[in-house]
Every structure is written in C-alpha cells, then in structure tokens.
C-alpha cells in the first residue's frame, strides 16, 4: 500500500503545550491524571487569537473541548487523483460500502472494521502498535489521548501504525466523535474510502451540519468517483464554512470537469485564501485566470522584526558651524558601523558553514529514516503561503519591493550627476573671492577679509544645505526600501528555512543593512580658515545599537508521554518511546501545502 504523507500538519503546530515529564515507575493515580488534563486545558486557554484564527482559517478548531466543532485533527481527507481529472467511478468500492451503523451498533462495527484493517497491514506495524498501546495504558491514557497519539503517528510519517492505533482508540470508546472522524479520515487518505463512509455517516447523524464531517464524506465519495454525491456533501460543507480550503479545492475539480471554468476558478480562489499551495495556483493559472498573489496570512506580521529602526544616521550638516560639530558624530557612527560589519561578516561566515554541515547531516538522517520505512515530511504548514506572500511583496507590479528598490537604486546612481549641479553653483559663488583677491579667506584689508569670510561661508552653507538634503533624502528612500525587503525576508523565510540556514540568513541581512547605513557619506566643510571663531564643540559618544531578533511565534510541544512532538516554525521533532519501539527524528516542514 502506498504511503501517504498527511497534508494538514497544522494540528500539531497549534497543539497544546505540555511540560515534559520523566517516565513514571507506575501508572499515575486518577488525581494525577486529572491534574495533567487540567494543565492541558490551561495551556489551551493560552493560545493567542492569531493561533486560533489560523486553525479556523484551515478548517480546524481548537482541540480539547467536548464538542465536535472543536475537533482538532485530520480535518480534510485528500484522496489521490489522477493529474488533470477527477477519480473514475469505482463501482466495486461503492458496492462494498456497508449500511450506516446505529450509535448502539457502532462499537461492534468498529471492532469488525479494525480486525479487517489489521488483516491488510504488515504484522510488524501491528506489533509496534501493541508496544505503543501498552505504554499508553501504563501511563493511564484514556481513549481521547490515545486518539491524539494516533494522529501524532500519522503526522510523523507512520500511517499504518497511525490507523491501527486510531482503531484501538475507537474500540476503547466509540462515543468519541473526534476519534471516529479521525479514524475515517485516515482510512480515506489511505484509499479505503468505502470503509470510511459508514463511520462518517453515523457521526453525521449524531452531529448534523458539522462542516468537517460533511467535507470528509464528500472527499470519500469523490475518491470513489461518485461525483454527484461528493458534490452534494461538499456544497453542504462550503455553505457552513465558505472558505473551507479542501472542500473548495475538490469542488473546483468537479466544476472544471463539468466545463464550468469560472466556477472552478472562484472555488480555487476561496481555497487559496485559507490554504495556499503552488498546485492550486498553477491550476488557477491553467484555467486562464491571473492570481494577484496576495494570500491571507493568519499570524501577526511585525513591521520591523530585526529592529532596524534603532539605527539612525547623525544629523546632516546644513551649515559650516554644524559641519564642524557633526563631523565627529559621523566619524563615530562610521566606526560603529565598521565594528558591526566585521562582527556580522564573521558571524555570517561561521553560520553559513554550520548551515552547510547541518544540511549534510539532515540528508543523512532523512535517508536513514526513509530506509527505516518512515515517510519524510518536507512541507511545513505555512511554507507555501510564506513563499507566495514574499513573492507577492517582491514582484507586485503596483509598487512591489523590487520595483521600489530599482527606483531607489536608479536614484542613487543618478546622485553624483545631481550633486554636480550644486557643486557648480558653489564654485560660481566662490569666484567672487578672485575679484577681492582672497587667498583662502584672506583679504588685503580688514573689510575685504570680512567680506571674503562672508562669501565663503554663505556659499558653503547653501552647498551643504542643498547637497546634504539631497543625499539624505536619496539614501533614506533607498535604505527604507531595502529595510522592507530584508525585514520581509527575515520574517517569511523562517517558515521556509531550517534553523541553521535561517540564522545564517539573518546575519547576512544585518551585515547588508550595516553596509547600507555606512555607505551614506554627507558633505562636510567648516568655516573659512582665517574667519573661524573658536568654539567648544562638545562630543558625547553614542552607545552602539543592538539588533532585534526574529522570534518564531509558531511553536508548540505536545507531550503524550509515549509520543512527544515539538514544532518550531519549519521544523518538527518527533520522539516515540514505547518499550522496545523507540525512535526520534527531526523533519523539515518547510514547504507546506496548507
């Protein structure tokens, strides 16, 4: 049986954070278990509005609440289809769909179904599940926690073990609709849609109108090629949740087959709003429509994640008196920038080397995990959207960052020519000194000397004000454009890169920013030499500013004792400790389809 990698890893990205505990020598008491469950609910209550909205946008609700609408699990079955078309009608599968069991008959039905599934899967998977189940029982895990462990195994790339453990969770308590829904969704995605339909229809009768269940029923009939039934259930799911990502995507396939390209494009557009993927975008363009690329983003986007606003140029001199005083401030500023540049150049080189070594090590670990039979997840839940969002910010023809940067770069290139106009005006004004026979500000008489000083300082004041104003404005626009680029890269690339590579990128961006600040060189000229009035120019050295860091808000830890899954932006680490069955590996989640 072909292994499928789940496409909705967002469940564990928003999973509840539990504090890791050491393995007890004996099962915890009921009081201890209640304390643990209370701790779980407390952590759920800490989820931010952005995290909750993110789950809702993807058709998933916060877990742990005794209401099916709050089921947090495999919300969207995604049966495989032939490229460019819907699945063909599978009469054999459809004929084998069993009658819908009643709630009272559901436990017995699940028992027969679970036994049948066991017979179709390798004995090694069943043996490993027994070890996991025994360990869970030793911890006193209930049916709900066993069901969550099953979802964890699916997300860690072990679908065969996951579906068997999900069956055990349903056997333990068939009244938990969340577990029944998840079990059916797993069967759906493993190509056993005919087994999933009776389970889904049973809980649909108990919880009518639930968009998750309706969408999964629609996916099941779609996978078996009964497009008429699939269409009906998908429409029902979409009416209740208009932006249901997977339901809209499957609906678009059906509409395209019927020749309704406009309808298919509209469904794709709604699907991409909450679940952007490159595949959907390609389908949208294939239908003849242009995607503007501005997809929704479920989390708060900080305006200046690297803290560039902390770094400012000294004032630009607009008079000869200011020029003397500010020259010292600028010299200190350039020295600071040189220090920072050296620091981040060295850091960038070190981190780049570490990233290369980490990449090579990861390839080896992935290969080892693959050879052990695990499916390696290469996609993260926000990666595709992050890449598209960044691409839109860069390429948007109506003011994208590349457009702004090109305009700012052109202005920098034209700066010397524009400054030459002010240089010529200054030279013309200073020609008056030749008529007075001034030598570096000196005249033959006191009155001539004073006039020479006045002419010199006035010409220089006008030159400083005009040239430095132009330099300031031109460099400010350029650096502001680059800051937006670098901040966007720093924020969105955390969802596309593994940690070592991302740390190297941040160091490179900081080095580039420092270089852009240091490149600005205003003009300086003091009062005419023999006319200069000695003044105190006190100078106070300014402390060196510090960058902010991009801290990933998209992180969580789910501790189910036998299985611990931690996520951090584009990485997921899975640990399983069930007696003799143990494994640990870290996956890159950096190109998600969700």
């Amino acid at each position: 049986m072909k292994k499928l990698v789940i496409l909705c890893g967002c469940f564990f990205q928003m999973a509840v954070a539990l504090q890791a505990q050491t393995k007890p020598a004996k099962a915890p008491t009921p009081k201890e278990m209640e304390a643990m469950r209370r701790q779980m609910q407390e952590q759920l209550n800490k989820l931010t509005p952005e995290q909750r909205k993110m789950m809702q946008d993807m058709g998933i609700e916060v877990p742990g609440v005794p209401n099916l609408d709050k089921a947090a699990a495999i919300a969207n079955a995604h049966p495989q289809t032939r490229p460019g078309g819907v699945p063909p009608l599978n009469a054999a599968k459809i004929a084998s769909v069993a009658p819908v069991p009643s709630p009272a008959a559901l436990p017995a039905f699940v028992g027969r179904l679970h036994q049948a599934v066991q017979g179709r899967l390798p004995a090694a998977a069943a043996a490993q599940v027994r070890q996991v189940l025994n360990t869970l029982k030793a911890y006193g895990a209930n049916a709900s926690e066993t069901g969550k462990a099953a979802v964890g195994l699916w997300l860690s790339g072990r679908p065969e073990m996951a579906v068997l453990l999900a069956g055990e969770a349903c056997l333990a308590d068939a009244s938990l609709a969340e577990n029944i829904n998840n079990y059916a969704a797993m069967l759906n995605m493993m190509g056993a849609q005919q087994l999933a339909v009776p389970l889904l229809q049973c809980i649909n009768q108990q919880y009518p109108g639930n968009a998750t269940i309706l969408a999964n029923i629609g996916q099941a009939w779609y996978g078996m090629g009964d497009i008429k039934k699939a269409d009906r259930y998908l429409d029902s799911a979409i009416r209740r949740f208009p932006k249901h990502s997977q339901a809209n995507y499957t609906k678009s396939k059906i509409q395209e087959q019927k020749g309704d390209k406009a309808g298919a494009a509209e469904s794709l557009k709604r699907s991409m709003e909450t679940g952007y993927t490159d595949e959907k975008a390609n389908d949208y363009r294939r239908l003849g429509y242009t995607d503007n690329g501005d997809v929704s983003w479920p989390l708060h986007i900080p305006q200046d994640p690297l803290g560039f606003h902390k770094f400012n140029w000294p004032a630009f001199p607009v008079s000869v008196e200011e020029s003397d005083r500010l020259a010292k401030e600028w010299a200190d500023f350039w020295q600071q920038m040189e220090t920072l540049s050296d620091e981040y150049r060295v850091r960038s080189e070190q981190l780049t080397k570490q990233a290369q070594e980490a990449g090579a090590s990861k390839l080896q670990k992935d290969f080892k995990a693959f050879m052990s039979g695990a499916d390696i997840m290469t996609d993260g839940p926000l990666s595709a959207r992050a890449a598209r969002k960044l691409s839109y910010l860069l390429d948007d023809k109506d003011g994208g960052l590349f457009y702004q940067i090109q305009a700012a770069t052109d202005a920098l290139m034209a700066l010397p020519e524009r400054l030459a106009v002010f240089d010529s005006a200054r030279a013309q004004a200073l020609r008056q000194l030749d008529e007075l026979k001034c030598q570096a500000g000196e005249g033959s008489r006191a009155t001539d000397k004073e006039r020479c000083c006045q002419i010199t300082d006035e010409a220089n004041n006008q030159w400083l004000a005009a040239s430095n104003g132009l330099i300031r404005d031109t460099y400010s626009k350029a650096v502001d454009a680059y800051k937006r680029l670098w901040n966007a890269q720093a924020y969105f690339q955390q969802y596309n890169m593994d940690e070592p590579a991302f740390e190297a990128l941040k160091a490179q961006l900081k080095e580039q920013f420092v270089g852009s600040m240091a490149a600005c060189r205003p003009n300086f000229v003091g009062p005419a030499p023999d006319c200069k009035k000695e003044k105190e120019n006190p100078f106070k050295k300014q402390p060196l500013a510090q960058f902010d860091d991009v801290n990933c808000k998209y992180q969580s830890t789910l501790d189910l004792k036998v299985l611990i899954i931690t996520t951090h932006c584009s990485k997921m680490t899975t640990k399983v400790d069930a007696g003799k069955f143990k494994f640990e590996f870290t996956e890159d989640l950096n190109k998600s389809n969700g």
Side-chain angles (χ1 to χ4, degrees):
M1 180 181 296
K2 183 179 179 180
K3 295 184 178 180
L4 304 178
V5 178
I6 191 168
L7 300 179
C8 52
C10 47
F11 168 68
F12 278 103
Q13 312 306 321
M14 292 292 106
V16 52
L18 289 178
Q19 194 171 17
Q21 301 177 16
T22 56
K23 190 172 180 179
K26 60 180 180 180
T29 66
K31 184 177 181 180
E32 291 171 333
M33 286 299 298
E34 181 58 32
M36 291 164 59
R37 294 188 181 99
R38 187 165 57 251
Q39 182 185 11
M40 176 185 290
Q41 190 60 52
E42 288 173 355
Q43 294 297 328
L44 281 170
N45 294 337
K46 294 178 182 178
L47 291 177
T48 66
E50 289 85 3
Q51 290 172 327
R52 292 176 184 272
K53 183 179 184 300
M54 175 183 173
M55 295 181 70
Q56 292 165 356
D57 285 346
M58 294 185 179
I60 298 174
E61 292 286 350
V62 179
V65 180
N67 182 320
L68 191 63
D69 283 335
K70 302 299 182 181
I74 310 172
N76 305 319
H78 190 94
Q80 298 297 292
T81 63
R82 294 180 301 176
V86 300
L89 185 70
N90 193 323
K93 276 190 177 182
I94 294 172
S96 67
V97 174
V100 179
S102 66
L106 185 59
F109 182 86
V110 169
R112 294 192 298 272
L113 181 59
H114 183 55
Q115 187 175 8
V117 172
Q118 279 183 317
R120 297 185 184 185
L121 296 179
Q128 290 173 331
V129 167
R130 282 194 295 272
Q131 294 177 30
V132 173
L133 192 60
N134 290 337
T135 305
L136 285 168
K137 288 179 178 178
Y139 278 112
N142 58 27
S144 176
E145 291 158 342
T146 301
K148 288 181 173 63
V151 176
L153 284 172
W154 184 281
L155 293 174
S156 67
R158 285 163 169 75
E160 293 168 347
M161 290 179 61
V163 74
L164 289 175
L165 189 59
E168 293 287 349
C170 293
L171 283 176
D173 188 349
S175 69
L176 292 177
E178 179 181 333
N179 281 353
I180 297 295
N181 178 72
N182 293 345
Y183 184 38
M186 291 180 190
L187 292 170
N188 240 359
M189 288 183 281
M190 294 183 76
Q193 297 92 351
Q194 74 279 16
L195 303 182
V197 168
L199 296 173
L200 292 167
Q201 291 286 19
C202 179
I203 58 175
N204 184 48
Q205 292 174 1
Q206 299 175 63
Y207 303 93
N210 180 274
T212 296
I213 297 173
L214 291 169
N216 283 341
I217 296 174
Q219 292 294 149
W221 286 114
Y222 177 80
M224 293 187 289
D226 192 330
I227 304 307
K228 186 175 181 180
K229 284 186 178 179
D231 207 15
R232 186 170 75 248
Y233 283 103
L234 292 171
D235 283 344
S236 295
I238 293 170
R239 277 197 299 272
R240 289 160 176 81
F241 183 12
K243 293 185 179 181
H244 193 295
S245 180
Q246 189 56 46
N248 274 292
Y249 183 48
T250 306
K251 176 72 177 178
S252 74
K253 295 286 188 182
I254 296 173
Q255 289 170 305
E256 183 180 1
Q257 186 202 43
K258 293 179 179 180
D260 182 9
K261 289 189 175 182
E266 184 60 31
S267 295
L268 271 172
K269 186 176 180 180
R270 286 196 300 269
S271 178
M272 286 190 290
E273 286 185 36
T274 53
Y276 180 87
T277 68
D278 292 332
E279 181 184 8
K280 294 175 187 177
N282 290 336
D283 284 346
Y284 193 72
R285 287 189 290 270
R286 181 174 53 77
L287 290 170
Y289 292 81
T290 301
D291 172 22
N292 68 8
D294 190 15
V295 297
S296 64
W297 186 256
L299 303 176
H300 170 69
I301 302 176
Q303 288 188 343
D304 187 15
L306 290 176
F308 290 144
H309 67 280
K310 296 181 179 181
F311 298 83
N312 296 291
W313 289 301
F316 286 72
V318 296
S319 69
V320 292
E321 289 79 10
E322 286 187 353
S323 187
D324 261 8
R325 173 173 56 82
L326 292 174
K328 298 176 183 179
E329 293 186 27
W330 276 92
D332 180 60
F333 173 78
W334 287 322
Q335 182 59 53
Q336 288 184 336
M337 293 300 100
E338 183 178 350
T339 299
L340 273 181
S341 181
D342 290 342
E343 175 186 343
Y344 282 100
R345 182 177 63 254
V346 172
R347 185 178 300 185
S348 174
E349 292 171 354
Q350 293 173 339
L351 290 172
T352 299
K353 182 179 180 181
Q354 292 174 14
Q356 292 170 344
E357 294 172 350
S361 176
K362 181 187 178 301
L363 284 176
Q364 294 177 351
K365 289 181 179 179
D366 284 352
F367 180 74
K368 183 178 180 181
F370 175 76
M371 293 303 292
S372 71
D375 291 320
I376 304 303
M377 295 176 67
T378 58
D379 293 345
L382 287 178
S383 177
R385 271 202 278 187
R388 190 67 186 100
K389 192 74 174 176
L390 181 58
S391 176
Y392 171 75
L393 291 173
L394 296 178
D395 297 333
D396 177 36
K397 300 301 184 293
D398 298 323
L401 288 176
F402 277 154
Y403 171 85
Q404 296 174 32
I405 287 171
Q406 185 59 55
T409 302
D410 290 344
L412 283 174
M413 297 295 291
L415 184 58
E417 184 177 350
R418 297 180 66 188
L419 288 174
V421 175
F422 302 129
D423 295 342
S424 297
R426 178 194 182 209
Q428 180 66 32
L430 291 176
R431 287 197 182 97
Q432 299 176 62
L433 300 178
D434 296 335
E435 298 174 6
L436 295 174
K437 300 180 180 180
C438 299
Q439 297 294 328
E442 298 180 14
S444 57
R445 298 189 304 274
T447 54
D448 289 341
K449 179 179 179 181
E450 184 176 345
R451 179 59 180 156
C452 290
C453 291
Q454 183 182 7
I455 291 172
T456 302
D457 287 349
E458 284 181 357
N460 286 335
N461 284 344
Q462 291 178 10
W463 176 66
L464 287 170
S467 64
N468 284 342
L470 179 60
I471 292 171
R472 179 194 59 225
D473 293 345
T474 305
Y475 271 91
S476 292
K477 289 180 180 178
V479 172
D480 283 348
Y482 275 101
K483 282 197 297 188
R484 289 193 289 273
L485 168 65
W486 294 326
N487 272 320
Q489 289 177 322
Y491 178 75
F492 288 110
Q493 291 291 27
Q494 68 184 312
Y495 300 97
N496 290 306
M497 290 180 165
D498 58 26
E499 192 168 352
F502 181 58
E503 290 299 320
L505 172 68
K506 287 191 294 184
Q508 293 166 9
L509 296 178
K510 291 173 183 178
E511 182 188 359
Q512 290 171 5
F513 170 74
V514 169
S516 71
M517 294 292 285
C520 182
R521 301 277 165 160
N523 289 318
F524 295 93
V525 61
D530 286 352
C531 311
K532 184 175 181 180
K533 298 177 182 179
E534 294 299 328
K535 285 185 178 181
E536 287 289 331
N537 285 319
F539 167 68
K540 184 177 180 181
K541 189 177 180 67
Q542 298 296 319
L544 188 64
Q546 296 294 321
F547 286 104
D548 289 338
D549 201 4
V550 180
N551 296 313
C552 178
K553 305 298 183 184
Y554 194 57
Q555 51 194 333
S556 64
T557 299
L558 181 68
D559 186 349
L560 296 172
K561 309 311 167 192
V562 66
L563 182 142
I564 301 174
I565 295 181
T566 58
T567 60
H568 184 82
C569 275
S570 65
K571 277 195 174 295
M572 182 170 77
T573 300
T574 305
K575 295 181 182 180
V576 172
D577 185 354
K580 296 180 180 178
F581 176 62
K582 298 180 181 181
F583 71 86
E584 174 182 351
F585 60 93
T586 298
E587 300 167 314
D588 235 353
L589 303 181
N590 57 352
K591 293 180 182 176
S592 175
N593 293 305

